[in-house]
Amino acid sequence: MRLNLPMLAAAIILFIVEVIIATKLNDYHFIRAYFGDFLVVILLYCAAKAVYDFEPKRLAIGVFAFATLIEVAQLFRLADVLHLTGWARVVLGTSFSFHDLLMYAAGCIAVYWLDTRIGLKLRLEYLKQR
């Protein structure tokens, strides 16, 4: 296993952006309600890809399934049932939205497409150099 530094850098940058969205951009409804959800699945994808070379399609499906599971937990108010507070409550979330599922799907499709296009191009360039 080899650490994928570009994916790690992308994950770190996306994490910082997500923290900014969560803490500083409350007045920007579209960014807070939709764009953050789009980015969070890309963050998860990049973080996973940074530590293991998952096959892109399986990883995108797995990330979408995980995000959907979290959203379903919000539907059943799991944070309230477990009496979560602080960051645990923020991470799990408290309100279900079908639009979130659409944004998760869009984010997974976008990162899959980028990874397969850019990843293939980088692998071909690497093979040409050998």
Side-chain angles (χ1 to χ4, degrees), residues 13 37-38 41 44 46 50 63 71 73 76 78 80 88 90 101 103 116 123 129:
I13 291 167
D37 294 329
F38 177 82
V41 291
L44 292 172
C46 291
V63 167
E71 198 67 25
F76 293 107
L78 191 59
D80 293 332
V90 171
L101 295 175
M103 295 312 293
T116 55
R123 283 189 291 276
Q129 292 174 356

Side-chain angles (χ1 to χ4, degrees), residues 52-123:
Y52 188 80
D53 190 23
F54 291 99
E55 191 271 318
K57 188 177 193 178
R58 288 178 190 245
L59 181 56
I61 291 169
V63 167
F64 179 72
F66 177 75
T68 300
L69 184 66
I70 296 295
E71 198 67 25
V72 169
Q74 292 173 10
L75 176 64
F76 293 107
R77 303 232 174 255
L78 191 59
D80 293 332
V81 170
L82 297 175
H83 304 290
L84 297 178
T85 60
W87 280 103
R89 188 174 183 83
V90 171
V91 169
L92 185 57
T94 56
S95 62
F96 174 84
S97 171
F98 181 73
H99 293 111
D100 290 352
L101 295 175
L102 295 175
M103 295 312 293
Y104 298 149
C108 287
I109 290 167
V111 74
Y112 167 76
W113 185 84
L114 286 170
D115 189 24
T116 55
R117 297 309 178 267
I118 293 171
L120 177 62
K121 184 178 178 182
L122 292 175
R123 283 189 291 276

Side-chain angles (χ1 to χ4, degrees), residues 9-25 31-32 35-36 39-40 43:
I12 291 169
I13 291 167
L14 286 166
F15 178 76
I16 292 167
V17 169
E18 286 288 344
V19 169
I20 292 168
I21 289 171
T23 60
K24 305 287 183 197
L25 299 178
I31 293 172
R32 180 107 164 111
F35 194 60
L39 290 180
V40 76
L43 162 64

